[in-house]
Amino acid sequence: MGQGQEQRHESVRVAVIGSGFGGLGAAVRMRREGITDFVVLERAGSVGGTWRDNSYPGCACDVPSHLYSFSFAPNPDWPRTFSGQRHIRAYLEHVADTFGLRPHLRLNHEVLGMRWDRDELRWEIETSGGRFTAQAVVSATGPLSDPRIPEVPGLDGFREAGGRVFHSARWDHDYDLAGKRVAMIGTGASAIQIVPAIQPTVRKLTLFQRTPAWVMPRADRAISGPERWLHRRLPLTATARRGLLWGIRELQVSAFTKRPGQLGMVESLAKANMAKAIKDPALRAKLTPSYRIGCKRILLSSEYYPALAQPNVDVVASGLAEVRGRTAVAADGTEAEVDAIVFGTGFHVTDMPIAARVTGAEGITLAEAWKDGMESLRGATAAGFPNWMTIIGPNTGLGNSSMILMIESQLSYMADYLRQLGLLGERAALDPRPSAVAAWNRRVQARMERTVWKAGGCDSWYLDANGRNTTLWPGTTSEFRRATRSVDLAEYEIVRPPRTAPASAQAAVSEKEAV
């Protein structure tokens, strides 16, 4: 807030946190349900979520464009089969305009904390732009929103010596990498896009690789003018295209979740993809994973391997251990003189920072409740946190398809959740029963044991500190849609305001009414 500006204090029915796909989708769904008394709290100055924050060179989606968009907001004019960051961000701005969401947006309103008021049955929300109270909160901050930078000894000294350090999701556009010696830390989805984008202009690129990734070709191409014309004139053709893309990925799910042995053929294709560009046997050995394909995220790129084969690129088969002055030192002792260090080291996925800012009915934060691992009911609600739900919550991620499909399923669940609250009246709340949360998660984790993510022989960001996969959904998107079509009130307790005891008792008794 600028100096002299008044802090706003609003009371609304629903507060949505975040304006990426999840937050904007929630806003659209509420308006379609006739709910207009809501705000979307966004910490940045514009919408877009991860597609606003990630603006690094080469940033693009690895899900086909016609599947990576809302079913209720098809875009017949996607320019490429796999769209870049600029076009996806523009699409989200278009959604905000088309569905009249601008009046609901509260930009530059970072949520600093929220607390459940047991007496008033409302959430008290403190933001950088003022205070809000809401009957319900929909948290759509997303798992890929807060960068994770490892603690590397010597980074402060590197900066003091004139070196630049930044994360892929916080790209320093004021620093020109041309002619510089650059260390790229990590080999995930961002790194394999950054490497070929900067390789032609940097003086030297050193890739620090803890674990190699499986990389498949990315069949990207421009979508022709006649194709776009056809999709505009006959929208059913775009719908059919989306349906085909979805169906192919649904058929792939069993290999990931039930029969990882079937993925051996895919490994052969990935090795052939590598062999076409990497002729040096020693480099091929460095780049060949020792785990089953799919255990970590399968990456798509047709430019990554050719870039690694260039004379100005070195691949160090070890992670960054420390920095001495301007020298980056790997765990195996390899040294490289660098001018800039770029971290492509992912995000806080299993320990989402927003969880530390949410205080529930028992006076503990969501982070404390999840200290042994994230758990929710149907990926949406958490016991002890009434009238709170999340979009892209625990065990809702995907390894091979579009997250927009999962988001839309969760929006259906959210819509029914709000309908039920409406029927109960303003002086009521829904709190998932701990037994229902536990039963749901037992089923999810039991199914997880057979998946490639657990049995594939790798340590990935899908797993939490206890080795549990609290990130991905071990089934098809169709199964998840069925599981979240409506709220089962038997899985919830109805919370009513506490009755006030006689004045002489000076006490209040909390009443929870079981359905």
Side-chain angles (χ1 to χ4, degrees):
M1 297 281 295
Q3 191 173 15
Q5 284 184 279
E6 286 188 15
Q7 290 263 310
R8 70 168 73 236
H9 185 190
E10 292 187 60
S11 181
V12 295
R13 181 177 175 186
V14 184
V16 179
I17 307 172
S19 67
F21 270 98
L24 294 183
V28 172
R29 186 58 186 265
M30 280 192 285
R31 285 186 63 89
R32 295 174 74 184
E33 293 286 326
I35 300 172
T36 56
D37 184 16
F38 69 89
V39 292
V40 179
L41 304 174
E42 169 55 56
R43 66 184 177 185
S46 60
V47 303
T50 192
W51 294 106
R52 175 200 59 235
D53 297 340
N54 285 269
S55 59
Y56 58 79
C59 183
C61 190
D62 58 5
V63 175
S65 304
H66 286 275
L67 194 58
Y68 199 78
S69 48
F70 290 122
S71 63
F72 54 78
N75 178 16
D77 290 312
W78 286 117
R80 304 194 67 82
T81 52
F82 291 87
S83 290
Q85 175 263 348
R86 178 168 61 92
H87 294 106
I88 297 173
R89 183 179 180 185
Y91 170 78
L92 290 171
E93 294 279 1
H94 173 74
V95 168
D97 290 329
T98 300
F99 292 92
L101 305 183
R102 299 289 178 186
H104 300 278
L105 295 175
R106 302 295 181 265
L107 303 177
N108 299 306
H109 279 61
E110 180 178 5
V111 172
L112 305 176
M114 67 177 74
R115 180 177 292 274
W116 176 250
D117 186 327
R118 299 181 65 172
D119 295 325
E120 297 298 324
L121 299 187
R122 296 183 70 81
W123 284 97
E124 296 288 337
I125 308 167
E126 190 73 32
T127 80
S128 57
R131 292 178 58 241
F132 295 79
T133 58
Q135 182 191 18
V137 168
V138 177
S139 180
T141 58
L144 306 182
S145 56
D146 291 279
R148 179 188 293 276
I149 296 180
E151 295 183 5
V152 179
L155 274 184
D156 289 340
F158 178 74
R159 293 187 183 96
E160 292 168 1
R164 289 294 187 100
V165 179
F166 49 91
H167 190 278
S168 59
R170 301 291 185 268
W171 194 267
D172 188 347
H173 290 281
D174 295 328
Y175 184 70
D176 188 1
L177 292 179
K180 302 295 196 305
R181 301 165 300 177
V182 181
M184 181 75 229
I185 315 301
T187 52
S190 299
I192 72 156
Q193 295 179 345
I194 294 169
V195 166
I198 68 174
Q199 175 273 319
T201 61
V202 302
R203 175 179 161 193
K204 187 72 175 180
L205 177 59
T206 305
L207 178 67
F208 287 79
Q209 169 192 270
R210 283 196 309 169
T211 310
W214 286 107
V215 182
M216 295 289 286
R218 186 166 175 262
D220 186 29
R221 65 170 179 83
I223 298 177
S224 67
E227 286 176 276
R228 296 197 297 273
W229 178 88
L230 184 64
H231 293 332
R232 283 195 300 272
R233 295 297 297 271
L234 296 173
L236 282 177
T237 61
T239 302
R241 184 176 191 158
R242 177 186 176 92
L244 178 62
L245 292 168
W246 166 77
I248 291 171
R249 282 156 181 77
E250 289 288 274
L251 292 174
Q252 297 170 349
V253 171
S254 65
F256 289 86
T257 60
K258 298 177 182 177
R259 304 174 184 87
Q262 294 180 349
L263 293 167
M265 183 181 298
V266 185
E267 286 183 9
S268 299
L269 295 175
K271 289 178 180 178
N273 178 48
M274 183 196 306
K276 282 192 296 185
I278 307 296
K279 306 303 180 184
D280 178 8
L283 182 54
R284 273 207 307 272
K286 286 183 181 180
L287 298 174
T288 302
S290 59
Y291 55 86
R292 174 64 76 192
I293 193 169
C295 185
K296 288 176 176 281
R297 184 174 174 181
I298 299 175
L299 307 181
L300 302 181
S301 176
S302 298
E303 295 83 30
Y304 179 63
Y305 287 140
L308 296 184
Q310 299 306 308
N312 68 330
V313 178
D314 280 340
V315 177
V316 177
S318 184
L320 180 65
E322 64 175 313
V323 184
R324 302 174 191 150
R326 296 289 285 267
T327 304
V329 184
D332 66 359
T334 303
E335 298 183 357
E337 295 296 315
V338 297
D339 303 306
I341 299 175
V342 180
F343 284 96
T345 46
F347 301 84
H348 289 273
V349 176
T350 60
D351 57 341
M352 293 185 288
I354 189 66
R357 305 182 185 191
V358 182
T359 302
E362 303 304 321
I364 65 171
T365 66
L366 187 60
E368 291 169 326
W370 282 353
K371 67 181 185 301
D372 296 323
M374 299 190 299
E375 285 192 348
S376 66
L377 177 59
R378 302 181 188 275
T381 55
F385 297 82
N387 288 12
W388 180 93
M389 71 172 295
T390 182
I391 307 295
I392 315 184
N395 292 114
T396 60
L398 295 176
N400 76 312
S401 192
S402 172
M403 279 305 301
I404 312 306
L405 301 169
M406 301 295 278
I407 288 172
E408 290 199 31
S409 292
Q410 290 200 287
L411 296 182
S412 294
Y413 194 80
M414 175 203 75
D416 195 48
Y417 189 95
L418 295 176
R419 280 187 218 113
Q420 299 300 332
L421 281 179
L423 293 172
L424 291 169
E426 188 175 343
R427 300 288 287 168
L430 288 173
D431 191 3
R433 297 175 182 274
S435 59
V437 176
W440 171 261
N441 282 277
R442 278 196 302 271
R443 294 196 296 270
V444 169
Q445 292 303 321
R447 293 183 63 178
M448 197 68 71
E449 292 302 317
R450 299 176 59 186
T451 68
V452 69
W453 312 306
K454 285 285 286 186
C458 75
D459 181 17
S460 72
W461 59 265
Y462 299 147
L463 308 180
D464 65 15
N466 298 312
R468 285 200 317 154
N469 189 329
T470 58
T471 307
L472 298 183
W473 168 246
T476 65
T477 62
S478 300
E479 289 177 284
F480 189 76
R481 183 170 64 245
R482 290 192 296 271
T484 54
R485 183 169 287 127
S486 61
V487 170
D488 180 359
L489 282 180
E491 295 181 326
Y492 286 86
E493 293 180 339
I494 296 176
V495 183
R496 297 289 185 185
R499 290 177 178 169
T500 303
S504 58
Q506 295 295 311
V509 179
S510 175
E511 174 191 9
K512 284 195 174 182
E513 172 184 316
V515 174

